[in-house]
Amino acid sequence: MKTVGYKIVATCLTLIFLASFSVNASVTEQQIQQDCKKTARYSADGNKAYKNKDYDKAREHFTTQAAWSEFCQETDDKTSTAYNNVALTYIHQNSPLKAKAWLNLSPKSQKSQYNLALIKEPLATLPAPTDFSGEYWQYAGFGQWNTFTVTPKGPKYQIEFNGLYMPNMALYYGPNIGELSGLITVHDNKAIYKGSEQSDDPQSTCQISIDFSENKNKVSLMTDGECGFGFNVVAYGDFERVTSQ
């Protein structure tokens, strides 16, 4: 990957999670207002780690920056800045597909368009997928992603779905979650996961239709029945590939 000089754009809003917060406590309006006034800490910490080339640590701070920017309903420009900061950490780690996923959260912003142009060549040089294996993402909100992972297992594929539902107060009380795994057989880019064939419960009504795109860069899910996920968690919609082969 060509080496390019990148510059982090600092945001006006960077907030921290409450380290000692109890999920049983009530969150007051005053507390939220105070949290939404903590403007610089995560941006500064992210920039410090970024300048030290500790991109994993920088990404932690910038992801939290993005989450709180969404929660506090900051301007689109400030939230886009946070997305771009996360993307830049992936660019420096030669992960252009993950960078693209973050940049496409605000594709019309000038920052995103600039950084999308930077990864155009690295994306073009990635080898085309030869099978369906890989990791696929779908944005869940507040800096978190639903993931769908596919791994070859002989003539079949092992799938793992990790889904989230992010309620309005998810940054305080946490998300609702749902997990699922099992073996599938793919024919003509399509497969069906049946819970009754995978679990200890032969009465399971969980069924997920899985449709891979022709170029193997996207997978679409549709769920029927009850899969035992948390409230409002569902395996549904389009997931974009974020790993190359």
Side-chain angles (χ1 to χ4, degrees), residues 35-46:
D35 290 337
C36 286
K37 290 179 181 178
K38 298 173 182 176
T39 59
R41 181 169 177 177
Y42 269 93
S43 180
D45 288 347

Side-chain angles (χ1 to χ4, degrees), residues 4 32 41 54 74 81 87 91 96 113 128 134-135 137 140 150 172 178 184 194 196 206 210 212 222 226 233:
V4 183
I32 293 174
R41 181 169 177 177
D54 187 349
E74 289 292 302
T81 294
I91 291 175
Q113 290 178 7
E135 184 177 0
W137 283 2
V150 184
Y172 291 100
I184 61 170
K194 294 183 178 181
S196 59
C206 179
I210 303 166
F212 293 95
M222 180 174 290
E226 175 56 53
V233 179

Side-chain angles (χ1 to χ4, degrees), residues 116-211:
L116 283 167
L118 288 180
I119 61 174
K120 184 176 181 180
E121 181 178 343
L123 288 171
T125 59
L126 290 176
T130 57
D131 61 22
F132 306 105
S133 62
E135 184 177 0
Y136 302 78
W137 283 2
Q138 178 192 63
Y139 195 57
F142 295 148
Q144 302 300 310
W145 297 82
N146 300 323
T147 64
F148 187 74
T149 306
V150 184
T151 306
K153 292 290 183 181
K156 298 186 177 184
Y157 288 92
Q158 175 78 25
I159 62 167
E160 293 186 10
F161 168 77
N162 288 278
L164 301 169
Y165 172 69
M166 306 295 287
N168 290 338
M169 298 297 287
L171 296 189
Y172 291 100
Y173 297 116
N176 301 335
I177 63 175
E179 298 177 348
L180 174 150
S181 64
L183 290 173
I184 61 170
T185 301
V186 181
H187 293 295
D188 297 326
N189 297 341
K190 301 180 186 297
I192 296 179
Y193 169 95
K194 294 183 178 181
S196 59
E197 298 175 355
Q198 306 281 347
S199 67
D200 295 332
D201 180 11
Q203 304 302 316
S204 173
T205 62
C206 179
Q207 181 170 300
I208 301 176
S209 298
I210 303 166
D211 188 356

